[in-house]
Amino acid sequence: DVTMADAAAGAAPDVDPGAAAAAAAAEAARQQQLLLHQQQQQEALAALAAAAPPGPPPTHHEEALAQLRQEEADAAAALLGFGSEEVGAADPAAAAAAQQHAAAGGGLLAGTPFNQAPPLQEPEYLVKWSGKAHVHNEWLPESVLLGLVRRKLLNFKKRHGDAPVSFAEEEWSQPERFVARRPSPSSPGWEVLVKWRAQGYDACTWESEKCAALLQPEHVQLHLALWDRQ
């Protein structure tokens, strides 16, 4: 009897290494010629555009129409290229990139100043996650946010431009009072209900007692005061 593996191995044709290398070299040369041809076309178009006589400046109506067309193009790109704007239905590749960025230490507690973006060439944005305190804010690259929340990012850039800007306050990530304590419903250990500085009680969040922001020496008195009340 002949197994499927034996049959497959017996049916495989012999390949001449020299012929395979020649075919690969020919394909690489063809790709190089194609790229050179495309570059020459782009240079020719740029030369024609530069040689064309300048026309009259656009009117206010033409500028408004061009802006409207650009916004429509952005909206179409968001629908066709990125799907839903919500984080829960984000582009899987962008979500994976965000997770990889966070795993590499892209969060606020990884040494990045609270209101200063890391010195990278690609713009980064400080993200406040829904349902989480400001202590969990993260710097994410623009390329990741284009896949996660493209429309929100475009609206932010439309309002504030590309210049550095910050609306976050460092005290928002500093605990002011521990209100309550409970066993964690999702993992071993305990959680504390944290009242954050300059934030109302409606912004209190349950945080793990092992949260690095709560284990600082200056917050020992907050733990002691909570234990005294219990």
Side-chain angles (χ1 to χ4, degrees), residues 6 23 40 48 66 89 103 107-108 110 113 119 154-155 173 198 201 225:
D6 293 335
Q40 291 174 346
L48 289 174
L108 188 62
L154 293 177
N155 288 338
S173 64
Y201 278 89

Side-chain angles (χ1 to χ4, degrees), residues 175 177-184 189-196 204-211 214 222-223 226-227 230:
R177 186 171 186 265
F178 295 161
V179 181
R181 186 171 181 262
R182 71 179 183 184
S184 174
W190 290 75
E191 294 179 344
V192 291
L193 185 62
V194 181
K195 162 70 169 63
W196 302 96
C204 291
T205 56
W206 286 100
E207 306 289 342
S208 171
E209 281 189 331
K210 299 179 182 179
C211 177
L214 308 184
L222 298 180
H223 288 279
L226 175 61
W227 296 337
Q230 291 186 336

Side-chain angles (χ1 to χ4, degrees), residues 59-70:
T59 65
H60 178 72
H61 175 73
E62 291 173 341
E63 291 179 349
L65 183 60
Q67 182 179 359
L68 178 60
R69 288 175 178 171
Q70 182 62 44

Side-chain angles (χ1 to χ4, degrees), residues 21-39:
E27 177 63 19
R30 189 183 71 82
Q31 294 290 340
Q32 185 67 24
Q33 290 179 353
L34 180 60
L35 290 175
L36 180 60
H37 179 68
Q38 292 177 347
Q39 182 179 0

